[in-house]
Amino acid sequence: MIPNDNFRFIALDVETACGDPASICQIGLACVWPDNRIYTFSTLVNPGTAFDAFNIRLHGIGPDHVRNAPRFDEVLVLLFPVLSRHHLVQHSNFDKQAVNAASRTYGFDAPDFHWIDSVTIARRAWPELKGNGGHGLGNLKKVLKLDFHHHDAGEDARAAAQVVLRAEAYLGVPFDRIGNPDRKALSRHD
C-alpha cells in the first residue's frame, strides 16, 4: 500500500537494470513515523530497457520480474504527493541521480525533492570508519549490526533509515542538523 501519512522523513533507494541510472527497476521507501517506527514499501518498475547480467546478479531482478510492472512515470505520479512533502534520505547520491535521470527520460523536470545523504550522516556520527571499512551500507550493516538483505530497494531504504536513527541517538541531534551540508562537524554533545 502506497504510504500517504506524515512522516519524520522517508529513506528512498532504487535498483537499476543496467549502467544507465535512468533504468530504475525497483523503488523502495522506508517511511519513519514520529515515534521512529518504520513502514517499508517497495515496488518493481518496468524500466523499458535491457537488463545487464551484472545488475541481475546483484539484485536478482530481471526482465521477467518487471514485465507487468508499472513504468517509472506511473510510479512517480503515485509517489510524488508523499515524496514532495518530506525530507528524502538516500545512501549516497546515486538514488537522486537515478530519480532525476528517469524523470528526464519520461519528459519530467527533475523533481525538487529535499534530499539528505545518510552517508554524510554516518560520516559525522562515526568518523573512525573512514579507512576502516568505510560508510557504505555493507560495512555499516556489520558495524551497527543491522539486519537487512542488501541490494533490495525496500531493505536498503530501511537500512538507510536505521543508520539515520542510530546516528540521531548516538549524537543526540536530529537528522536534518546532522545531514546539513553547512555543518562542519558534530560532537556527541553538540
Side-chain angles (χ1 to χ4, degrees):
M1 180 167 212
I2 293 175
N4 192 23
D5 220 336
N6 290 317
F7 302 103
R8 290 186 60 224
F9 63 88
I10 297 174
L12 183 148
D13 187 82
V14 301
E15 299 297 332
T16 56
C18 61
D20 179 1
S23 68
I24 294 173
C25 62
Q26 186 185 36
I27 297 174
L29 305 178
C31 307
V32 179
W33 275 295
D35 64 1
N36 292 341
R37 286 180 301 125
I38 299 173
Y39 171 74
T40 304
F41 167 85
S42 71
T43 184
L44 292 173
V45 178
N46 188 334
T49 189
F51 279 72
D52 285 350
F54 171 82
N55 294 63
I56 294 171
R57 281 191 305 275
L58 189 65
H59 50 57
I61 301 168
D64 291 343
H65 297 103
V66 301
R67 181 172 289 118
N68 297 316
R71 295 183 326 256
F72 175 80
D73 59 331
E74 297 168 319
V75 174
L76 182 63
V77 166
L78 294 173
L79 295 179
F80 188 84
V82 71
L83 297 180
S84 64
R85 67 177 197 267
H86 290 91
H87 286 284
L88 300 183
V89 169
Q90 62 180 329
H91 200 78
S92 85
N93 198 39
F94 179 77
D95 304 290
K96 177 182 178 179
Q97 291 172 355
V99 167
N100 290 348
S103 296
R104 287 189 296 273
T105 295
Y106 284 96
F108 297 119
D109 291 334
D112 188 23
F113 294 146
H114 305 284
W115 294 95
I116 293 178
D117 187 354
S118 57
V119 172
T120 301
I121 290 172
R123 285 179 180 149
R124 292 190 175 145
W126 303 285
E128 68 276 6
L129 296 180
K130 183 177 181 180
N132 189 19
H135 296 88
L137 282 181
N139 192 51
L140 289 170
K141 176 180 184 174
K142 181 177 70 175
V143 171
L144 300 177
K145 297 179 178 34
L146 302 176
D147 182 24
F148 69 99
H149 178 71
H150 204 12
H151 298 298
D152 172 272
E155 290 278 309
D156 285 353
R158 185 169 53 83
Q162 290 174 331
V163 167
V164 171
L165 294 174
R166 297 269 182 97
E168 283 182 324
Y170 182 70
L171 295 172
V173 178
F175 75 93
D176 52 343
R177 283 197 50 220
I178 303 169
N180 183 341
D182 297 332
R183 299 284 299 178
K184 295 291 184 216
L186 294 170
S187 69
R188 279 193 77 186
H189 305 290
D190 187 22

